[in-house]
Amino acid sequence: MISVADVPALEVSDIQATVLRPRPSSYKGEYVILRVDDRAQGLEMLRRLIPHVAPADDWWVPTLPGWLGIAFTYQGLKALGVPEASLDTFPQEFREGMAARAEILNDVGNNAPANWEYPFGTADMHVALAIYSKDDKSLEMVLDRARQSHHDLPGISVVYRMKFSELPGGRNPFGFRDGLHNPHVEGSGVHIHPGFGPAVKAGEFIMGYPDELGETATSPEPEQLRRNGTFLAFRKFHTRVAEFRKYLREQASSPEEEELIAAKMVGRWRSGAPLVLAPEYDDPKLGADPDRNNTFSYADDMQGLKCPFSSHIRRINPRDALKNDLVAVNLHYFLRRGTNYGPPLPEGVREDDGVERGGVFLLIGAHLRRQFEFVQSQWMTDGNFISHGTEQDPIVNNGENDGVFTIPKRPIRRRLHGLPQFVAVRGGEYCFMPGLQALKWLAGLGAEHR
Ligand code: HEM
């Protein structure tokens, strides 16, 4: 949907749809990860895939059955034969890969790369495809195109496949409505609801445009490769839903209080209604109203009495809560494309059924280090910026702290203890998602051999 007031100024026909456009609702999709053992075949596969990669200006065309996004790890770029002189200009964190950054990201204990699923954290993850569609039939069509791109190329192997789909009511496995907030990318042409805050400079998310510091990326090189490209952090989580329900039951004296504690942890009620606007009771109409469910300010709650400082959404996007620090907040935004996998745990069940369920996040931005890595290592895992010592995000904590969650309250605050780990990291990797012309540049790398 394009609103007249926000005509695209970005080269949206060159930027991949996955970067700028929200997924359809409802959605069905699959992540496919490929390993390239033969450079020429890798480039051939890429040439065949390019016509099917969706640009951001096209995805809402009703005839489009679904869309394909493509991204490459550092190992993948190497396998395709990107010259050393170019590879060396990629940011260090991307070259090292997510597993090597485990200490910085606090991926320790249960979340350590040693516990990740294959191929995460290995050199076998080269090309990642994200395929989104509105139903199973459309998904099959796009998957078939992906298959055709390499079915006769023995040098290409599928090393991972993972289906995902929307859970009933657009909820995540814990029962919270998700995908409610994303930053407003200046010039993107995306319809903006009130409350998304002022537009953030496109260069924060896409290379080739000025960012919030007024700078335009000068690497990676060459320019043809970086223009309209971006980086993404791929993170797969398993959610321990039974554990979450059990813990709420233990801490609360009534079902109403269970819901309140759950909302205090997230900063929103399960309906999506923000605590700042609905501090005592859920307001499902507010939660479901995209024109209202982001229209709030922490300036009205500087003591955290409505929404705790340590709640997930206040930590991870402090909005105006970090006084006089608005510019700094703008430097840590990224786009969030989340999807869910696995069946929901039936209502009322408090025993773990051993089934894998959770979420996969694509956290997208031009500056992995000061966006995803900063938020993950500071705002999510460190309590100091809110004077909470070693306290972590109550929802996404790594289980390696003392399990405390502070709820400001009068006359005295409430402190929950013994918080278990509700979310376990199953794997992740950094990828580069080029623009469409850049994909052609990559595919042309083999020209001298043809
Ligand atoms: C399984 C793990 C996670 C769960 C269950 C979860 C849950 C949620 C929920 C329920 C919301 C509120 C609804 C919304 O705005 O979409 C939310 C918002 C958000 N989450 Fe998470 N999240 C998870 C992991 C992450 C990770 C890894 C990041 C980034 C490092 C992240 C970043 C955000 C951001 C930026 C928001 C928007 C905050 C706002 O401005 O309101 N989340 N999350």
Side-chain angles (χ1 to χ4, degrees):
M1 198 181 342
I2 297 184
S3 70
V4 184
D6 193 11
V7 179
L10 307 180
E11 292 167 5
V12 286
S13 56
D14 196 43
I15 299 167
Q16 292 198 41
T18 312
V19 179
L20 284 180
R21 309 300 178 198
R23 47 170 165 64
S25 180
S26 60
Y27 62 88
K28 296 267 181 185
E30 189 162 328
Y31 298 109
V32 180
I33 298 176
L34 303 151
R35 193 183 70 217
V36 176
D37 293 317
D38 180 295
R39 178 189 174 208
Q41 292 184 19
L43 295 173
E44 176 58 21
M45 170 184 74
L46 185 54
R47 279 189 284 276
R48 294 178 189 175
L49 276 174
I50 288 173
H52 307 302
V53 176
D57 62 344
D58 246 18
W59 80 267
W60 56 76
V61 177
T63 50
L64 212 63
W67 84 82
L68 188 136
I70 183 166
F72 306 85
T73 63
Y74 178 67
Q75 297 300 335
L77 294 179
K78 257 173 128 172
L80 290 176
V82 172
E84 222 39 59
S86 166
L87 288 172
D88 290 348
T89 62
F90 276 82
Q92 186 189 354
E93 60 277 13
F94 171 75
R95 284 184 278 135
E96 290 182 355
M98 193 181 276
R101 310 285 288 176
E103 288 294 324
I104 294 168
L105 299 175
N106 283 299
D107 281 340
V108 293
N110 277 334
N111 288 353
N115 298 323
W116 291 3
E117 289 172 4
Y118 176 82
F120 301 111
T122 73
D124 286 354
M125 179 169 175
H126 291 169
V127 182
L129 305 180
I131 297 164
Y132 302 80
S133 65
K134 48 189 186 337
D135 53 42
D136 284 320
K137 201 170 141 229
S138 317
L139 177 60
E140 236 356 274
M141 274 175 72
V142 187
L143 277 171
D144 192 51
R145 289 174 187 171
R147 256 189 305 269
Q148 296 298 330
S149 73
H150 63 84
H151 72 289
D152 56 345
L153 304 175
I156 310 293
S157 337
V158 176
V159 289
Y160 190 78
R161 290 181 68 168
M162 193 199 132
K163 281 203 183 303
F164 56 84
S165 60
E166 186 159 276
L167 297 181
R171 307 286 171 120
N172 70 21
F174 290 125
F176 289 83
R177 190 188 287 268
D178 70 14
L180 298 182
H181 185 268
N182 257 309
H184 171 192
V185 185
E186 189 175 86
S188 62
V190 175
H191 177 74
I192 295 304
H193 295 288
F196 275 52
V200 181
K201 295 282 178 214
E204 288 297 313
F205 311 102
I206 305 151
M207 290 181 278
Y209 308 89
D211 63 18
E212 286 286 312
L213 298 172
E215 290 166 4
T216 303
T218 53
S219 62
E221 286 167 16
E223 210 262 342
Q224 300 100 294
L225 180 58
R226 85 175 160 264
R227 187 164 185 81
N228 291 320
T230 187
F231 292 95
L232 59 90
F234 182 106
R235 299 276 279 180
K236 178 178 178 188
F237 297 100
H238 167 62
T239 47
R240 297 183 167 139
V241 180
E243 202 70 56
F244 186 63
R245 290 179 185 168
K246 255 193 296 205
Y247 185 75
L248 292 175
R249 173 64 55 99
E250 284 160 18
Q251 302 302 317
S253 53
S254 66
E256 291 74 29
E257 200 189 2
E258 279 181 45
E259 287 308 293
L260 181 62
I261 294 174
K264 292 279 186 188
M265 287 187 191
V266 170
R268 292 183 186 267
W269 297 88
R270 293 189 207 245
S271 72
L275 276 179
V276 172
L277 298 181
E280 283 170 42
Y281 303 101
D282 191 4
D283 180 347
K285 274 200 181 143
L286 168 64
D289 185 346
D291 284 337
R292 292 196 294 143
N293 61 19
N294 272 297
T295 317
F296 64 90
S297 150
Y298 292 119
D300 303 336
D301 186 33
M302 290 311 275
Q303 290 172 310
L305 292 168
K306 296 175 186 167
C307 182
F309 305 115
S310 200
S311 66
H312 179 65
I313 70 162
R314 187 162 178 164
R315 274 178 170 266
I316 238 159
N317 179 12
R319 301 186 181 212
D320 53 353
L322 293 186
K323 271 193 246 159
N324 305 324
D325 226 0
L326 261 186
V327 175
V329 172
N330 284 357
L331 297 183
H332 307 301
Y333 279 134
F334 42 77
L335 296 160
R336 196 168 42 110
R337 307 279 172 234
T339 48
N340 292 304
Y341 68 92
L345 184 69
E347 277 306 313
V349 174
R350 283 188 176 75
E351 286 312 312
D352 185 18
D353 61 357
V355 173
E356 284 290 309
R357 57 174 63 83
V360 171
F361 289 81
L362 306 184
L363 306 158
I364 302 177
H367 309 281
L368 282 173
R369 196 181 298 208
R370 77 163 150 83
Q371 295 170 331
F372 168 69
E373 289 199 340
F374 174 87
V375 170
Q376 172 69 31
S377 63
Q378 302 296 308
W379 290 349
M380 190 180 271
T381 335
D382 194 295
N384 282 318
F385 78 107
I386 46 171
S387 310
H388 279 23
T390 55
E391 190 170 321
Q392 297 189 5
D393 184 309
I395 299 290
V396 202
N397 76 77
N398 65 6
E400 294 290 306
N401 62 341
D402 38 11
V404 170
F405 173 54
T406 308
I407 306 177
K409 205 174 164 195
R410 287 212 179 100
I412 45 164
R413 70 181 174 209
R414 179 166 181 195
R415 259 211 172 131
L416 303 187
H417 293 271
L419 225 71
Q421 187 185 15
F422 297 125
V423 166
V425 178
R426 288 287 189 252
E429 189 50 286
Y430 291 142
C431 299
F432 171 59
M433 184 167 258
L436 275 89
Q437 288 302 324
L439 286 173
K440 289 184 187 148
W441 181 89
L442 274 173
L445 283 173
E448 70 270 26
H449 301 298
R450 288 201 300 273

